[in-house]
Amino acid sequence: MDLLERYLQAVGQYLPAETKDDTIAELRSNLMEQIDAREEDLGRSLTAGELGDVLRTHGKPEAVALRYLPQRSLIGPAVFPFYTLTLRRVLPIVVFWSAVASAILFVVSRHESLAKALVGFALGLWQPLLISAAIITAIFATIEWARQRGKLPENWNEWDPAKLPAVKTQASPDCSPRSMAKRVIDLCAHCLWMAYVLWVPWHPFWIMGPGVFYMDSLNVALGPVWHTFYALLITLLVVQLVMRLLAFVPAAQRLLMPMKVVTDLLGLVASGILAASSTYFVAAGAAANVPRIATVNQSVGLAFRIVFVIVLIGFVKDLWQYVKRTKPLRQMAF
Amino acid sequence: MFDSLRLELRRGCLILAVLAQLRDEHYGYTLRKALADEGLAIEESTLYPLLRRLETQGLLTSEWREEEKRNKRFYRLSKDGEAVLELLLAEWNGINESLHKILKHEE
């Protein structure tokens, strides 16, 4: 019987003090009854192994004790769906506003590099996310606590069918396939635009107009950052060309949205490279006005940082829409 | 898959069976044996905590008493338990009838 007492002691470790003795006494009584019945069947005392089998069948001490404890859940099944829905709606908004805040800080602090700003954003994101999740969890745990004690108003879970959104009569513009004529015009326009971008480096007049002669007179040339930007721009245009061609293939429609995210990302990287640079124009001769070039570079740099922030916000918005479309939130009316 | 559905199906029925069986007084071990004899086997680790929970809810009463030189905790249906059992049985019979009709349609 030493084994039985050891078993009961192990169960007792996990029971609340106020009910422990009573529960253990009842368990002992029931188990001894079971052991007696088994011994009566066999006509002899149980061996240590057989007693172990009885206890093993009865259950692991921790599991047995846990069944005697009241159900403990921070947020129960009635409230949990609302909790997860709120998390899924609020956390992306937190990410969005954190991105906006980081972008504004990046623009304002002229000395911070883009890479440093991005790393800072990524590393600092967990804090607002964790705080928001903790606040939401605390609110819903309070709601659950109040619900279990009947302290919520009777109509807390009521909803009004009249407030349900109207039936969508047509798919959103992003989802509806465009007409063949529109797709053809789009493809032609894009090809023309690509041809222009490929042609213009050798004919700068067609992008800068008379400004070319002004730049020549100032002895100013474009900085090396534009070479990197140009290579990225060509890559971006090629991806967009592929997208426009895929628009004619019905089976490839599902690839368009992820490809749009890729092009947005390329656009973000391209504008990021420009925003991160500080040298857009360089002196092309001894007669160049270097202090003036430095002032122009600073002004252009600020402009590109603002552009980068706008592109970043657009990218986060598109990415959020893509994620939302890929994993649609459960339709709920409340 | 089947096991979890089976468990779900049995959960409510077990409470009904335990309440019905406790119209007569039992202690844990004999109750389990009586249910098993009627074809409704139930694990000790499920039954004993269930008895405690039903007692906390006021559906059962219990008392410690010595029988065959051993202290045992005897459970019996309380007044509230009897009323709840009546309601549950009516519900159960309704469900049972409906299910029979539905299953007949399918035959």
Side-chain angles (χ1 to χ4, degrees):
Chain A
M1 287 298 152
D2 174 53
L3 195 56
L4 175 63
E5 290 308 317
R6 279 162 56 200
Y7 179 77
L8 293 172
Q9 179 183 274
V11 174
Q13 281 178 356
Y14 304 98
L15 292 172
E18 60 270 23
T19 55
K20 182 179 160 183
D21 291 344
D22 194 51
T23 308
I24 292 296
E26 188 179 7
L27 271 179
R28 182 185 287 112
S29 149
N30 287 327
L31 281 167
M32 285 183 77
E33 201 72 27
Q34 198 176 334
I35 292 163
D36 285 351
R38 186 99 175 89
E39 285 179 341
E40 207 174 296
D41 286 347
L42 294 170
R44 59 171 171 80
S45 298
L46 293 186
T47 63
E50 286 164 343
L51 181 59
D53 287 341
V54 170
L55 299 178
R56 197 174 294 115
T57 311
H58 191 263
K60 205 173 174 181
E62 298 92 318
V64 171
L66 278 174
R67 293 196 181 201
Y68 280 95
L69 299 177
Q71 193 177 349
R72 284 175 181 178
S73 55
L74 201 58
I75 299 168
V79 177
F80 195 74
F82 300 101
Y83 167 66
T84 52
L85 187 72
T86 308
L87 278 181
R88 288 170 70 182
R89 285 195 172 161
V90 170
L91 295 186
I93 295 170
V94 172
V95 173
F96 175 77
W97 284 112
S98 299
V100 171
S102 300
I104 291 169
L105 279 175
F106 170 63
V107 171
V108 173
S109 63
R110 293 182 178 183
H111 302 296
E112 194 180 34
S113 74
L114 176 65
K116 202 175 162 189
L118 286 173
V119 170
F121 167 68
L123 291 178
L125 195 58
W126 68 270
Q127 209 171 352
L129 279 177
L130 198 67
I131 291 170
S132 308
I135 290 171
I136 293 168
T137 307
I139 290 170
F140 277 88
T142 310
I143 292 172
E144 176 66 33
W145 179 87
R147 193 187 69 82
Q148 282 185 2
R149 283 156 186 78
K151 293 190 176 180
L152 284 184
E154 279 182 12
N155 61 350
W156 79 275
N157 204 14
E158 274 182 13
W159 63 286
D160 184 1
K163 287 181 183 170
L164 289 169
V167 175
K168 287 177 186 166
T169 49
Q170 74 184 81
S172 64
D174 286 350
C175 300
S176 56
R178 290 177 302 160
S179 70
M180 177 61 85
K182 275 186 181 171
R183 279 178 281 172
V184 171
I185 291 169
D186 195 23
L187 180 65
C188 293
H190 188 77
C191 289
L192 283 174
W193 168 239
M194 270 191 82
Y196 170 76
V197 172
L198 288 167
W199 180 72
V200 84
W202 289 271
H203 305 87
F205 181 83
W206 290 94
I207 190 168
M208 299 175 75
V212 175
F213 306 120
Y214 181 66
M215 271 185 73
D216 284 345
S217 70
L218 289 175
N219 283 305
V220 170
L222 294 175
V225 68
W226 293 103
H227 295 285
T228 317
F229 174 76
Y230 186 72
L232 260 173
L233 181 64
I234 297 298
T235 313
L236 179 67
L237 290 173
V238 170
V239 176
Q240 285 179 334
L241 179 67
V242 174
M243 278 176 71
R244 277 159 177 81
L245 289 170
L246 286 176
F248 292 93
V249 185
Q253 296 304 302
R254 62 191 173 80
L255 294 174
L256 293 180
M257 195 64 192
M259 284 185 83
K260 175 149 185 353
V261 175
V262 172
T263 56
D264 284 355
L265 185 64
L266 281 171
L268 183 71
V269 172
S271 62
I273 286 170
L274 286 179
S277 176
S278 55
T279 313
Y280 304 95
F281 302 103
V282 291
N289 185 343
V290 177
R292 195 168 185 183
I293 293 172
T295 311
V296 171
N297 277 336
Q298 208 172 6
S299 306
V300 174
L302 181 63
F304 277 129
R305 283 179 174 224
I306 292 169
V307 169
F308 174 72
V309 170
I310 295 166
V311 175
L312 178 66
I313 292 169
F315 175 73
V316 173
K317 185 176 139 267
D318 283 351
L319 188 64
W320 165 235
Q321 279 180 348
Y322 172 64
V323 172
K324 208 165 79 170
R325 195 164 296 163
T326 319
K327 292 182 177 176
L329 291 175
R330 207 170 293 153
Q331 293 294 314
M332 298 181 94
F334 66 94
Chain B
M1 168 82 167
F2 169 73
D3 281 344
S4 67
L5 289 172
R6 182 173 158 269
L7 268 177
E8 216 168 299
L9 188 65
R10 272 172 58 99
R11 198 169 293 141
C13 302
L14 287 180
I15 293 176
L16 190 59
V18 167
L19 291 176
Q21 197 69 43
L22 285 174
R23 284 185 285 208
D24 296 324
E25 195 178 60
H26 280 285
Y27 60 93
Y29 179 73
T30 52
L31 173 64
R32 184 169 165 262
K33 219 165 165 300
L35 288 169
D37 290 345
E38 300 289 348
L40 200 63
I42 176 169
E43 286 177 19
E44 302 103 312
S45 55
T46 304
L47 178 63
Y48 303 151
L50 175 65
L51 291 173
R52 289 297 180 108
R53 187 155 61 84
L54 294 173
E55 190 193 11
T56 312
Q57 289 169 343
L59 303 179
L60 302 178
T61 54
S62 74
E63 66 168 328
W64 281 99
R65 214 168 53 232
E66 194 177 302
E67 191 188 82
E68 292 169 357
K69 294 179 185 174
R70 187 171 288 161
N71 263 334
K72 291 166 188 170
R73 186 180 197 133
F74 288 86
Y75 289 92
R76 169 185 283 281
L77 205 57
S78 69
K79 284 278 175 211
D80 284 350
E82 280 173 23
V84 169
L85 178 61
E86 287 303 310
L87 294 171
L88 286 177
L89 279 176
E91 189 69 26
W92 163 258
N93 287 328
I95 293 171
N96 218 10
E97 267 176 41
S98 305
L99 266 177
H100 274 301
K101 280 182 201 162
I102 293 165
L103 293 172
K104 260 186 190 169
H105 284 311
E106 285 181 0
E107 278 170 8

